[in-house]
Structures are given as C-alpha cells and as structure tokens.
Amino acid sequence: MLIKPSAEAVRRIRKRLADEVRALRGLNATAVIAKLNPIVRGWAAYYWGVVSSRSFTALDHYVWWLTYRWARRMHPNKPKKWIVRRYFGRFTKFRNDRWVFGDRANVLNDRGEIPILLKFSWTNIVRHQLIAGGASPDDPGLTDYWVKRRRKVKPPLDSYNLRLLAKQDSGCPLCGEHLLTADQPPQSPQEWERWWLNVVKRAIAADYLTH
C-alpha cells in the first residue's frame, strides 16, 4: 500500500502558506524567505518518507504563485518581466532552476550569495526503515543496533548542513546529545519545523564545530 499526504494535509499547508504570505505584505523578500523556509522544511521533512513527489511539486507551483502575487503587490507599477528578473532566477549553483525566489537586494557574503526560498521538491524522498521486531532503545543488549541505526538515518538537510553534522558525529557539540534519534523523530510538520528552528540552526553552526 502506497502512503501519500492526505488531501486535508495539503489543504492545511496551502492555507497556512497563503495566510503567512498575506501577513507579510509590506515586508521585504528576505522576511518572506525567513518566514516560509522553516514551514517548507518542516512539512517536507514530515512527509519525506512517503510518496510525496507529486505533492511536493504541486506545492512548489503554489508557492511560486504566492510569491509572484506578493511581488506584484509590492510593485504594482512594474511590468511582469521586471518582477521576474528582480525576484526569480537561478540563484543556487546546485540547482538548474531559474524560478528560485530570492532577494537580490540582500547579498550575504563576498561570494554573492543571497537569501533564497527553499522548495519542497528539494527534499529527497527516503523510505522509512522498519525497526527490527522487538527492538527497544532501552535494551542494553541492542546498543550497537541503535547506534548503527542512528548513523544511517540522515536528517532532511541540505548537503552543506549534512557535512557539518557529520563532523559533529550527528550530535550537538554543546550537550553531546543526538540531534535526531531514530526511535523518536518529530511526529508532525510543526515539530519538524521547531526542530529546525530550535535545534539545528543553533547546534549545527560553523562556530560550534568540534574538529
């Protein structure tokens, strides 16, 4: 049996995205990106273990429409081509996609990188690995099993953050705890969103790396 995001779940995320973009009218593109990226990450991370490719693609089209409409409201007197050139482009060298939403006015570093809006479809689909029957994380005899399993479970992060996490041995360099446990991952899109905001952005940081 194939499991995919329900129609109700898709309806809820579409409504939330629309509400957030509506509330961001009058703010700049960087604010839009900062608000939407955790939502995209959280929802995609929750559904990355099921048949979600079509849902991810459809949501990407919907987000494009929301951001384009936001840009039209920000610049009502500008032509469509100007808006497209201003806010959309091939902003990441790792993706051959010219329709990435970004803020050209906010250059982040000397490499010319700018804030960009992530896409749902950039999260790779990874099938969930079933736990061996009767395996309990509290069983001292299965310590090696759970250690190996944790190492195999890769969080839904981009390649840069995965490299940083690997250097930290998948744990927080401050407290030593695993940032994602195989037996108790976040249980909702909102929990994944908080996981990214409250754990990953603080615990996976170049300044904190232990080499």
Side-chain angles (χ1 to χ4, degrees):
M1 181 178 66
L2 298 179
I3 302 174
K4 61 181 181 180
S6 67
E8 177 61 22
V10 174
R11 187 193 66 80
R12 287 196 302 268
I13 187 62
R14 284 169 62 97
K15 182 179 185 303
R16 185 180 179 195
L17 289 168
D19 290 344
E20 295 290 355
V21 173
R22 188 178 303 112
L24 291 165
R25 290 174 183 173
L27 300 180
N28 60 24
T30 296
V32 175
I33 293 167
K35 186 65 177 181
L36 296 187
N37 270 346
I39 299 174
V40 173
R41 286 183 184 275
W43 203 89
Y46 182 72
Y47 288 103
W48 75 324
V50 298
V51 183
S52 305
S53 296
R54 289 187 178 181
S55 298
F56 285 178
T57 301
L59 286 170
D60 285 336
H61 286 299
Y62 182 65
V63 172
W64 181 91
W65 178 75
L66 288 176
T67 52
Y68 176 75
R69 190 172 65 170
W70 170 90
R72 289 292 304 274
R73 287 181 176 273
M74 288 289 292
H75 308 280
N77 299 322
K78 294 294 185 180
K80 295 179 180 179
K81 289 185 178 180
W82 184 93
I83 290 175
V84 170
R85 288 195 300 268
R86 171 67 176 78
Y87 290 106
F88 297 93
R90 193 175 286 109
F91 295 139
T92 169
K93 61 182 179 181
F94 303 107
R95 305 282 179 178
N96 187 26
D97 188 344
R98 66 179 294 265
W99 294 106
V100 178
F101 180 78
D103 188 358
R104 293 180 185 271
N106 186 6
V107 179
L108 299 175
N109 50 46
D110 55 4
R111 295 190 298 273
E113 295 177 348
I114 65 173
I116 62 171
L117 181 59
L118 303 176
K119 294 193 174 186
F120 290 90
S121 57
W122 291 356
T123 299
N124 295 325
I125 304 299
V126 178
R127 295 289 176 260
H128 175 69
Q129 295 183 355
L130 296 177
I131 297 174
S136 170
D138 299 324
D139 187 346
L142 296 176
T143 302
D144 291 341
Y145 168 80
W146 286 104
V147 169
K148 292 178 181 179
R149 182 178 173 84
R150 290 189 182 100
R151 289 175 178 172
K152 290 181 180 179
V153 176
K154 292 185 177 180
L157 301 170
D158 54 83
S159 58
Y160 173 74
N161 279 297
L162 280 175
R163 287 197 300 271
L164 295 182
L165 187 61
K167 291 182 178 180
Q168 297 174 192
D169 195 24
S170 300
C172 174
L174 301 179
C175 66
E177 295 292 331
H178 282 278
L179 297 181
L180 183 66
T181 58
D183 54 320
Q184 292 183 335
Q187 298 298 308
S188 71
Q190 291 73 26
E191 288 186 14
W192 274 107
E193 183 180 333
R194 289 193 294 270
W195 178 80
W196 169 257
L197 285 172
N198 298 329
V199 178
V200 177
K201 292 188 73 174
R202 297 177 184 176
I204 301 181
D207 293 341
Y208 293 156
L209 279 179
T210 54
H211 299 282

